[in-house]
């Protein structure tokens, strides 16, 4: 408990035990996933699952700071090595491949909370659908430049309610400042810890922030009656429905 002596006055020993019992899945060990993983591990989350099929490249290190020294290594494995150095109390399972419609249900159902940190809309939608179907909370964030957004989806409007159309983003051209990823990844770690502790989170609210203008605000999100997840049209993950 010595390791957590600075946070126990805030969350109590009971809170620390809740964290120890929690199983959190982080999908994507990139810009958002790196800080989320680091702070969840540091806080003493008992089990972390980390999913990422990519390898560390030099241009990732501008923001993905947990991968320092690991260029060429798979990101899930690299993140696991980081967590084991930072906090040996945390059990880590690395999934060194991408989440797909075929494997998403089996992986997500092993965890209590999903932290969504991919770099594309397709994976966010897939995670959103799997989490809603399995009844798992999902902590969403996305970033661009100096700006980002975050939302915690529990029994509240979902990611599909938020966006009715999805542009085809080219991830290699997605420009971002490293600290924007750090800021929003930390919000995801914070939301996840608060969920585990039963504290109030960004439920039904989209948080938006612009670190250049230093403007931050929240938007109330309504359930979209045409959302096929929230209106019950989609009841299971059928891989054919996720093929382009
Ligand atoms: Zn919805």
């Amino acid at each position: 408990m010595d390791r957590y002596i600075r946070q126990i006055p805030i969350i109590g020993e009971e809170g620390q035990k809740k964290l120890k019992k929690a199983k959190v899945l982080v999908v994507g060990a990139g810009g958002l996933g790196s800080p989320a993983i680091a702070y969840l591990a540091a806080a003493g989350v008992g089990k972390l699952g980390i999913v990422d099929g990519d390898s560390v490249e030099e241009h990732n290190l501008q923001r993905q700071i947990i991968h320092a020294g690991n260029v060429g290594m798979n990101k899930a494995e690299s993140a696991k090595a980081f967590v084991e150095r930072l906090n040996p109390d945390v059990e880590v399972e690395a999934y060194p491949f991408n989440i797909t419609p075929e494997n998403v249900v089996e992986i997500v159902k092993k965890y209590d909370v999903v932290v969504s940190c991919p770099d594309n809309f397709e994976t966010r939608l897939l995670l959103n659908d799997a989490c809603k179907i399995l009844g798992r909370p999902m902590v969403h964030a996305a970033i661009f430049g100096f700006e980002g957004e975050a939302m915690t989806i529990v029994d509240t409007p979902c990611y599909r309610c938020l966006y009715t159309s999805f542009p085809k983003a080219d991830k290699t051209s997605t420009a971002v400042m490293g600290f924007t990823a750090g800021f929003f990844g930390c919000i995801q770690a914070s939301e996840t810890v608060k969920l585990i502790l039963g504290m109030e989170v960004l439920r039904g609210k989209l948080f938006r922030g612009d670190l250049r203008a230093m403007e931050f605000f929240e938007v109330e999100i309504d359930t979209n009656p045409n959302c096929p997840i929230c209106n019950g049209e989609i009841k299971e993950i059928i891989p054919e429905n996720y093929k382009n």
Side-chain angles (χ1 to χ4, degrees):
M1 284 289 180
D2 233 22
R3 175 184 287 270
Y4 309 113
I5 206 153
R6 297 290 288 270
Q7 70 188 37
I8 284 175
I10 305 163
I11 67 170
E13 287 194 17
E14 278 311 303
Q16 196 62 51
K17 283 180 192 154
K18 282 185 189 167
L19 290 178
K20 177 74 185 162
K21 279 198 204 127
K23 298 183 202 127
V24 176
L25 182 69
V26 181
V27 179
L32 292 163
S34 293
I37 289 163
Y39 283 100
L40 289 169
V45 165
K47 176 157 184 188
L48 274 179
I50 302 170
V51 189
D52 204 313
D54 290 346
S55 297
V56 179
E57 295 179 58
E58 195 173 8
H59 63 86
N60 298 148
L61 298 176
Q62 170 250 16
R63 61 202 178 284
Q64 301 175 22
I65 55 182
I66 66 170
H67 300 308
N70 291 344
V71 170
M73 193 192 266
N74 167 267
K75 287 186 186 177
E77 300 287 1
S78 165
K80 179 180 178 178
F82 174 86
V83 171
E84 287 171 347
R85 281 199 304 278
L86 177 68
N87 189 350
D89 296 347
V90 181
E91 184 195 341
V92 191
E93 178 140 15
Y95 301 91
F97 45 79
N98 290 329
I99 207 105
T100 64
E102 286 79 12
N103 65 23
V104 67
V105 170
E106 198 177 328
I107 297 174
V108 165
K109 73 181 180 193
K110 292 182 186 163
Y111 294 87
D112 307 317
V113 184
V114 173
V115 187
S116 169
C117 307
D119 57 5
N120 61 82
F121 287 109
E122 290 82 359
T123 309
R124 283 187 208 122
L125 279 177
L126 176 63
L127 283 174
N128 175 76
D129 297 356
C131 287
K132 274 284 184 187
I133 289 166
L134 294 167
R136 298 296 191 278
M138 181 178 111
V139 182
H140 155 74
I143 46 174
F144 180 77
F146 282 84
E147 295 169 45
E149 65 179 33
M151 182 166 86
T152 300
I153 300 158
V154 196
D155 48 351
T156 51
C158 78
Y159 187 67
R160 277 189 194 270
C161 292
L162 194 57
Y163 292 106
T164 48
S165 67
F166 298 92
K168 275 258 173 245
D170 172 12
K171 68 177 179 181
T172 54
S173 68
T174 303
V176 68
M177 297 306 291
F179 43 74
T180 309
F183 183 89
F184 284 92
C186 283
I187 287 179
Q188 287 179 292
S190 164
E191 287 289 292
T192 303
V193 165
K194 290 187 293 179
L195 264 176
I196 295 166
L197 298 177
M199 295 163 72
E200 198 48 53
V201 292
L202 284 167
R203 39 165 70 230
K205 282 183 228 161
L206 181 73
F207 170 82
R208 279 249 166 93
D210 177 344
L211 298 177
R212 190 192 321 241
M214 289 305 284
E215 285 172 355
F216 304 93
F217 59 95
E218 287 172 12
V219 193
E220 297 273 345
I221 303 298
D222 293 324
T223 299
N224 180 343
N226 298 320
C227 169
I229 281 288
C230 293
N231 72 14
E233 249 174 70
I234 300 178
K235 292 189 177 66
E236 59 181 319
I237 303 290
I238 297 167
E240 289 68 44
N241 295 345
Y242 295 86
K243 306 277 184 267
N244 290 316

